[in-house]
Amino acid sequence: MQTKVNIIISFLVLSAWIAAGQVTPTINTDSIVRARSGGPPPELNLPSFTPASQPSGNINWDSVKISSDALEEQVDYKSVDSMFFDTKNKQVHLYGQAEVKYQSMTITAEYIMIDWNENIMMAESRQVLGKTVGKPTFEQGGQKFTANKLRYNFKTYKGIIYEAQTMQEGMNIVGEKGKFFGAGEDTTKANVIYNKNAIFSTCELDHPHFGIKSSKQKIVQDKVAVVGPCNLVIGDIPTPIWFPFGFFPLKTGQRTGLIFPQGYEYSEAWGFGLENMGWYFPMGDHWDLKLTTDVYLKGTVRVHGASSYKKRYKYTGSASASFAYLRTEVNGRPKYSPSMSIRWSHNQDSKAHPYRSLGGSVNLQTSDYQRSNQTDAQSRFQSSLSSNMSYRQRFDQPFDLSVSFNHSQNTNTRDVTISFPTFNFQTQNLFPFKRKIKTGGERWYERVQMRYTSEARNQFTAKDSTLFTQKTLDDAKFGVRHNVTAATSFNFLKYFTVSPNANYKEVWYFKSVEKTFDPTLTIEYDTITSPDGEVQIIADTLKYGQILNMEDFGFKPFREYNTGVSMSTKVFGTLLFKRGKLRGLRHVITPSFGFNFTPDYTNPDWGYFKTVRQSLNSDEEIRYNIFENNQLGGFGTPSAAGRQMNFNYGFGNLLEAKVFSKRDSTLKNVKLFNSISLGGNYNFAADSLQWSQVSISGNTNFFNGITSFRFGITLDPYDFNRTTGSRINQFNLDTQGKLLRVVGWNSAITTNMTVGRLRDLIKGVNTDQRVANTPRDEEGTPQQEDLLSLFENFTISHNFTVQSRYDTRSQKDTIQITTNSIASRGSINLTPNWSITVGNFGYDFQSKRITYPDFTFSRDLHCWQMGVSWQPYFDTYSFYIRVKPGKLDFINIPYRKNIQDGRRF
C-alpha cells in the first residue's frame, strides 16, 4: 500500500520555533523514523518541546517567523516500498516506484532522495537481476525526459541529467550528460537543456540504431535544437558525412521548412537527379501547400504541388498538380515532351448546409502523364480516367439546380472529353391532378405525375496532347436540352399493371451543317517518255466532284416526342418434391407488352434532314443530318429510323431452387439464374422488315458468387444477304425452313476469388464464419494455420469471353475467343518483417505472353526500411534502404533504373 506523507510544513514550523528561541528540543535529534509498506504507517515520534520561557495563554502565531529558504508550495511524495526520514540531515529517502510532485513538476524513479537543507532532489534507477528498473522520469511544462540519474533544485529549477533521453516532435534525443534550466511557473520562458555527446534520431530506442551525433547541443523546448559540428552515425559506426552545424525545429503544429530530397537517381538518359526536393508552406489554420521538384542534370524537370485543407463541420479535401518536362533523344538530338496531371478531391460535411453542397473529384492528365512517369502495374493497366465535381442548390420549392465539371479520358486511345460548364435544372415529381381536399378513395388520374428537366452543356473533345490548344476551344460543342415527361400507372383486372406515358424533348443547338456539291473534277496528270523520246501526257480523273461541308452558326432547335402504353404482370410456377436434396423449383415469369408511337423526323417538313448529290457519275443523292457535326452525348440528333408504331414484347424469367442441407437440416433457396430475358418488337408503320431481331440474355453465379456467367443471343426471323450480311425482306422460315436464325451469340465467364475463399470452397466451410473464429495473436493478426495461409488475401481473377458472328469474307459463322486471361495480385507476409507484394502477375492465353509482372520485396528494419521493386516487362527496378518517414527520412540510399532507361521485353 502506497504511503503518502506530508511533513514539510511541520518541519518548517519546528525550525522557525527553534530559531526564535521559543522551544528547546529535549530528545535525540538523531532519531530516524521509518515507514514500511504493507501496513499502516507508524505514528511519527516528533520531538517534544520545553518552552524556554513559559508563555501565558496561547502562542502568538503572528510572531512566528518563516525561513526565507522555505519553499513556496507543498511538496507531495510517495513510494511503494518504503521511506526513510533523516531528521538530522533533513533528508527523505523514497524506495520503490517513488514519486515527487512540486508545482507543475513531477519526478518518478525507483529511488529518490530529497535534501531540505539544499532544496535538492536526487533520483536514480536500480539494478534488479542484472536489469535496470525504475529509470528517473522528469515532467514539467510539457517537457519530459528519462535518465539513469538526475539532480534537481526546487528553488532554482536547475538540474543535472546523466544519460538523458527525451522525445521532441518525433525526434529522440539521447545525451551523455546535460544541464537542465527550468522555467518554473514563468510562462514567458521555456525549458532549456545543454547536452554533451548527444545523438538525434527518429529511432525511439534507448540506444538508437542511427542518428546525428555531436559533442555540444542546446535544446529549447518546443522551439529548436541547435548542434555544433555533427556526424551521421549508423550502428555506432561514424560515416564520412559531417555537418558544421545543425538546426532541428521542435515547434508543435504547422511550420514552414525545407523538404530534403527523398530520392537520388542516376539515369543514362537524364543524368544525375534529385527527387522530391522543395519547401513546405503552412498557409493558415485550415490548409497547407507543399512544392517539390525533380531535377536532372541533362534537362529533365518535374514540378509537383500538393495541398490539403480541412475545416471541421464544413469541408475537407486535397489537390495536387504535377508538370513533367521529359528529355529524350531522337537521332542524337534532344527532344522534350511536356505532360501534366491534375487531381482534386473535395467533400462537404453533411452538417455544413441543408440546401447547398459542393463535392466530387477531378483526375485529369495530358500526354499520357501516368504511363510516362510511373512503372507500377496499376498505372500501366488503368485505361480510363474520369472526373465529376458539382455544386448543387436545392430550393424550398421542388426544384434543384446544379453546376458541374465532368471529364472522361481513355488512356489507350488518348481521347479526352470535358464537359464544362454543365447546368442542370430539374423538378421533383409533380402531381397536377391531385386533389387538395380528398373525398373518397384516390382516383386513377390523381396518380398522373409530371417532371421537367433541362441541361445546358459546353463540351470539348480532343487528344490529350492537344487538350490545351486554341483548336480545342474552337471545336467546342454546346447546346441546351429540355425534357418533359408525364406518366401514370393503375391496375387492370386486378393482376395487370398498365402504365401510359408521354415524352417531349427539345434540343437547342447553335451550329448546323450545310452540304453542297462541288462539280469540279480532280485530275492528275502523268508524263511518260517513250524509249524513242516521245513524250505523252496522261490525265487521270481522281474525283468527279466533291461534297463541301459548311458550318452555319445560329440558333437551330429540334423537337422530338413519343407516346406509348405498357402492361405487365407476374406468373408464378412452383414444383415441390418430398424427398431428395432438391425439394422444390420456382419459376417467375414477368411478361410485358406495350405500344409506342414516334413520328417520322426524316420528313422534309421538319427540316432536320437534307439531301445532296454524291457524284457527277450518278444522279443519286444521299441524305444527311444537319446536326451530325454538333452531336452532344445524351442530347442526340433526330432519329433517322422513320415513323415508329411499335408493338413491344418482353419476358423476364427468374429460376430458383429449394435445396435441403444435411449438415444443418435446413432448406436453402438457391438462384439457378438471376435473370433470363427475351424481347423484341413489331413496327406497323414499316413497309418491310416489320419484325425486329429477338434478343435473349441472362446471367447467374456459381460457387458462392466466386464465378459469374452471362450470355447473350441474337435471333432474326428474316434471311440475310450472304455477301453483305444485311437483312432481306424474306422470312427465314420460307427460305431455310427455320423460324429463327442465329445472328450471333456471346458468353463470358468471370472468376474473382481469394486463395482463402477457394480453400474454404473445397473444404465446404463458410468463409465468414471461419474468419470470425480464426485464432489471432496479441496484435490481432490472424495466426497462420498452414502454407496456404500465407496467400490468404491473394486475389486471383480469370476472364473468358467468346463470341460467334457471320464473316462476310468467308461467308461462314465463326467462333472467336476474344478474352482469355488470368491474373493475380496481393501480398505475402513471410515473417513479421519480410513481405512480398505482387502488383500483378498473369498470363494472356490469346497473345501467349505474361501480362506485365510487378513485384516488390520489403524488409522492416525497425527504424529503417529496405525494399526492391521489379517490373521485368520494361526491365525497370528500384532498390532502396531508407529511414522511415520522419524528420530524418532524407537519409536514403536509392538505386534504380526507371522507364526512361528501360526497354520493352
Side-chain angles (χ1 to χ4, degrees):
M1 178 183 68
Q2 292 186 347
T3 303
K4 182 175 182 179
V5 179
N6 297 305
I7 193 175
I8 186 61
I9 300 299
S10 300
F11 191 84
L12 291 176
V13 172
L14 174 61
S15 300
W17 284 355
I18 295 174
Q22 299 294 325
V23 294
T24 302
T26 59
I27 67 168
N28 186 0
T29 57
D30 292 336
S31 61
I32 297 176
V33 181
R34 180 172 181 176
R36 295 186 178 275
S37 62
E43 295 184 1
L44 184 61
N45 296 321
L46 290 174
S48 60
F49 303 99
T50 301
S53 60
Q54 183 68 34
S56 61
N58 296 328
I59 299 175
N60 184 8
W61 292 98
D62 294 334
S63 64
V64 176
K65 296 181 179 180
I66 303 298
S67 172
S68 60
D69 294 331
L71 300 179
E72 297 178 357
E73 295 184 18
Q74 175 176 293
V75 178
D76 296 333
Y77 46 89
K78 61 182 178 180
S79 64
V80 172
D81 187 349
S82 59
M83 297 182 185
F84 286 95
F85 298 88
D86 187 346
T87 57
K88 178 180 179 179
N89 298 314
K90 299 181 182 179
Q91 293 179 349
V92 179
H93 301 263
L94 310 176
Y95 294 91
Q97 299 181 25
E99 180 181 275
V100 176
K101 292 183 178 180
Y102 175 66
Q103 294 180 344
S104 61
M105 179 273 297
T106 302
I107 295 179
T108 60
E110 185 66 18
Y111 166 73
I112 297 178
M113 185 275 291
I114 305 174
D115 189 334
W116 300 114
N117 279 327
E118 303 293 335
N119 293 321
I120 289 177
M121 179 183 57
M122 184 181 68
E124 293 181 349
S125 60
R126 292 297 189 198
Q127 293 291 324
V128 178
L129 299 178
K131 295 183 179 180
T132 302
V133 296
K135 280 191 172 185
T137 301
F138 179 94
E139 292 186 51
Q140 184 180 37
Q143 177 79 41
K144 181 179 180 180
F145 57 81
T146 60
N148 276 340
K149 181 180 179 181
L150 66 85
R151 291 171 58 88
Y152 181 75
N153 190 299
F154 291 100
K155 297 286 291 182
T156 62
Y157 305 109
K158 297 179 181 179
I160 299 178
I161 317 163
Y162 299 90
E163 300 182 18
Q165 180 183 14
T166 182
M167 293 293 297
Q168 298 278 344
E169 283 296 295
M171 291 290 291
N172 183 21
I173 306 172
V174 181
E176 179 182 315
K177 182 180 179 181
K179 294 181 179 181
F180 175 78
F181 293 84
E185 298 301 310
D186 189 349
T187 58
T188 63
K189 297 181 180 179
N191 296 329
V192 179
I193 299 177
Y194 291 91
N195 247 331
K196 177 183 178 182
N197 295 333
I199 185 170
F200 292 77
S201 176
T202 54
C203 179
E204 70 277 6
L205 297 180
D206 295 346
H207 190 80
H209 289 138
F210 79 101
I212 296 178
K213 191 173 184 179
S214 64
S215 59
K216 295 180 180 180
Q217 309 84 27
K218 178 182 178 180
I219 304 167
V220 183
Q221 179 189 349
D222 296 333
K223 289 186 177 181
V224 68
V226 184
V227 302
C230 50
N231 174 230
L232 175 63
V233 176
I234 301 177
D236 293 334
I237 300 176
T239 67
I241 301 176
W242 280 86
F243 305 96
F245 57 88
F247 295 90
F248 297 91
L250 303 176
K251 293 182 180 179
T252 57
Q254 294 180 326
R255 54 200 175 275
T256 186
L258 175 69
I259 301 175
F260 280 87
Q262 302 297 302
Y264 315 90
E265 179 182 4
Y266 177 78
S267 167
E268 294 181 1
W270 295 348
F272 181 79
L274 300 176
E275 295 184 348
N276 290 327
M277 177 181 61
W279 200 268
Y280 176 81
F281 302 91
M283 309 301 291
D285 296 333
H286 303 294
W287 69 291
D288 61 1
L289 175 64
K290 181 173 69 171
L291 296 177
T292 58
T293 182
D294 307 336
V295 181
Y296 294 84
L297 289 181
K298 291 187 178 181
T300 293
V301 177
R302 298 191 193 100
V303 179
H304 313 282
S307 176
S308 60
Y309 55 90
K310 182 177 182 180
K311 191 171 184 180
R312 178 177 286 186
Y313 307 125
K314 292 294 185 179
Y315 51 77
T316 181
S318 61
S320 65
S322 298
F323 176 79
Y325 198 62
L326 307 182
R327 179 186 185 274
T328 56
E329 288 190 4
V330 179
N331 298 325
R333 301 184 63 181
K335 178 182 178 182
Y336 294 91
S337 303
S339 60
M340 183 173 60
S341 172
I342 300 174
R343 293 175 181 264
W344 180 30
S345 176
H346 180 87
N347 294 298
Q348 180 174 308
D349 195 287
S350 59
K351 306 180 186 66
H353 200 280
Y355 301 112
R356 290 196 297 266
S357 64
L358 173 66
S361 62
V362 175
N363 185 6
L364 174 67
Q365 67 178 26
T366 65
S367 301
D368 207 10
Y369 176 90
Q370 190 166 273
R371 294 180 179 177
S372 300
N373 294 273
Q374 300 173 12
T375 59
D376 60 286
Q378 182 178 357
S379 300
R380 307 300 302 182
F381 287 151
Q382 189 173 12
S383 60
S384 62
L385 304 174
S386 62
S387 304
N388 183 12
M389 182 66 66
S390 63
Y391 169 81
R392 182 179 179 184
Q393 171 71 57
R394 184 164 57 90
F395 301 94
D396 291 337
Q397 301 295 328
F399 307 121
D400 286 341
L401 175 66
S402 66
V403 183
S404 63
F405 170 89
N406 298 281
H407 145 261
S408 62
Q409 183 171 357
N410 188 309
T411 58
N412 292 329
T413 62
R414 301 180 68 174
D415 291 328
V416 182
T417 300
I418 295 178
S419 299
F420 178 76
T422 300
F423 296 89
N424 284 278
F425 178 81
Q426 62 183 7
T427 67
Q428 300 176 3
N429 291 331
L430 306 175
F431 297 88
F433 305 112
K434 187 175 287 292
R435 293 172 294 173
K436 295 182 179 180
I437 301 176
K438 293 186 177 181
T439 57
E442 186 182 39
R443 307 290 193 270
W444 67 269
Y445 56 81
E446 291 186 76
R447 292 193 292 269
V448 174
Q449 58 183 0
M450 300 184 67
R451 191 180 188 190
Y452 168 77
T453 61
S454 65
E455 179 181 351
R457 185 193 307 169
N458 186 47
Q459 183 173 293
F460 306 93
T461 302
K463 295 292 184 179
D464 65 357
S465 57
T466 61
L467 183 60
F468 298 101
T469 60
Q470 184 62 39
K471 186 177 185 305
T472 302
L473 296 177
D474 296 338
D475 295 340
K477 300 177 182 179
F478 39 90
V480 182
R481 181 187 63 183
H482 307 269
N483 278 349
V484 179
T485 61
T488 187
S489 63
F490 56 87
N491 292 332
F492 176 70
L493 297 178
K494 189 177 180 180
Y495 298 108
F496 297 91
T497 301
V498 179
S499 302
N501 65 85
N503 303 282
Y504 173 79
K505 181 175 79 170
E506 182 172 328
V507 176
W508 298 346
Y509 282 137
F510 299 88
K511 288 182 183 179
S512 59
V513 63
E514 187 75 24
K515 296 188 177 184
T516 59
F517 180 71
D518 180 9
T520 303
L521 297 176
T522 303
I523 302 175
E524 184 181 68
Y525 296 94
D526 290 335
T527 302
I528 300 177
T529 304
S530 63
D532 56 0
E534 182 180 357
V535 178
Q536 292 183 347
I537 299 177
I538 300 177
D540 185 13
T541 303
L542 300 180
K543 291 182 180 180
Y544 292 90
Q546 60 182 342
I547 298 175
L548 303 179
N549 294 333
M550 298 183 63
E551 279 193 339
D552 183 13
F553 293 88
F555 179 71
K556 196 70 175 179
F558 78 86
R559 302 168 181 86
E560 289 183 336
Y561 68 89
N562 63 77
T563 183
V565 62
S566 63
M567 181 177 64
S568 63
T569 188
K570 286 185 180 292
V571 180
F572 298 88
T574 304
L575 183 61
L576 300 178
F577 306 98
K578 296 182 179 180
R579 297 179 180 178
K581 188 173 183 179
L582 180 62
R583 293 299 177 90
L585 294 172
R586 187 189 188 199
H587 184 196
V588 181
I589 305 176
T590 306
S592 62
F593 304 93
F595 177 83
N596 69 283
F597 169 78
T598 302
D600 182 10
Y601 297 109
T602 62
N603 192 315
D605 295 338
W606 290 93
Y608 303 152
F609 291 88
K610 295 182 179 181
T611 58
V612 63
R613 187 175 180 178
Q614 188 174 9
S615 173
L616 288 174
N617 288 341
S618 172
D619 294 332
E620 182 181 356
E621 293 185 337
I622 60 172
R623 186 173 60 190
Y624 68 93
N625 190 328
I626 65 173
F627 302 105
E628 63 184 21
N629 292 341
N630 196 44
Q631 182 176 352
L632 288 174
F635 285 20
T637 59
S639 173
R643 176 179 295 182
Q644 301 291 312
M645 298 177 62
N646 292 331
F647 169 76
N648 307 306
Y649 61 90
F651 298 90
N653 298 269
L654 174 64
L655 293 176
E656 294 179 307
K658 193 177 290 293
V659 180
F660 177 76
S661 175
K662 294 182 178 180
R663 177 173 299 177
D664 51 9
S665 301
T666 58
L667 294 175
K668 298 181 180 178
N669 291 331
V670 178
K671 287 186 177 181
L672 301 180
F673 273 93
N674 297 329
S675 68
I676 300 178
S677 60
L678 179 149
N681 65 75
Y682 180 86
N683 187 5
F684 291 97
D687 57 359
S688 62
L689 302 175
Q690 291 92 347
W691 288 99
S692 71
Q693 293 180 339
V694 180
S695 299
I696 303 175
S697 62
N699 66 85
T700 187
N701 297 324
F702 301 102
F703 312 121
N704 295 330
I706 292 178
T707 300
S708 62
F709 170 74
R710 58 179 176 83
F711 69 91
I713 304 174
T714 303
L715 306 174
D716 199 331
Y718 295 100
D719 202 355
F720 72 107
N721 188 311
R722 268 61 178 175
T723 303
T724 62
S726 59
R727 304 170 79 196
I728 59 176
N729 194 31
Q730 294 181 2
F731 285 107
N732 194 67
L733 181 63
D734 298 333
T735 58
Q736 304 296 326
K738 296 180 181 179
L739 180 63
L740 299 171
R741 67 177 178 89
V742 178
V743 178
W745 58 268
N746 63 82
S747 64
I749 299 176
T750 303
T751 301
N752 287 289
M753 62 180 175
T754 62
V755 173
R757 287 183 64 88
L758 178 61
R759 179 182 57 185
D760 295 341
L761 179 66
I762 297 174
K763 294 181 177 180
V765 178
N766 186 297
T767 300
D768 296 333
Q769 293 180 358
R770 179 188 60 80
V771 172
N773 298 327
T774 298
R776 300 174 180 268
D777 56 21
E778 296 179 355
E779 298 180 354
T781 305
Q783 296 180 1
Q784 298 179 2
E785 300 176 357
D786 50 31
L787 181 61
L788 287 179
S789 298
L790 293 173
F791 304 87
E792 184 73 26
N793 297 318
F794 230 78
T795 302
I796 301 174
S797 60
H798 177 253
N799 295 308
F800 180 83
T801 304
V802 60
Q803 67 177 15
S804 172
R805 62 182 180 86
Y806 180 78
D807 188 359
T808 56
R809 290 181 299 179
S810 63
Q811 297 187 0
K812 293 181 180 180
D813 290 329
T814 59
I815 298 176
Q816 181 182 7
I817 298 175
T818 57
T819 305
N820 186 13
S821 62
I822 187 171
S824 62
R825 58 183 57 88
S827 59
I828 306 171
N829 295 321
L830 299 177
T831 68
N833 295 324
W834 273 106
S835 65
I836 301 175
T837 300
V838 179
N840 179 77
F841 185 77
Y843 187 79
D844 189 338
F845 295 95
Q846 289 296 104
S847 58
K848 298 180 180 179
R849 64 181 179 87
I850 297 175
T851 55
Y852 200 83
D854 182 11
F855 307 101
T856 300
F857 304 85
S858 59
R859 174 72 162 89
D860 190 334
L861 300 173
H862 187 257
C863 50
W864 290 67
Q865 53 187 187
M866 178 182 68
V868 57
S869 61
W870 178 43
Q871 297 81 32
Y873 188 75
F874 283 106
D875 192 25
T876 57
Y877 55 84
S878 172
F879 173 78
Y880 62 86
I881 298 179
R882 63 192 178 203
V883 174
K884 287 184 177 180
K887 292 183 179 295
L888 300 179
D889 56 5
F890 63 89
I891 302 176
N892 184 11
I893 306 175
Y895 184 77
R896 69 183 65 179
K897 184 179 182 181
N898 221 325
I899 191 170
Q900 71 275 4
D901 298 316
R903 58 180 179 83
R904 190 182 297 272
F905 178 72

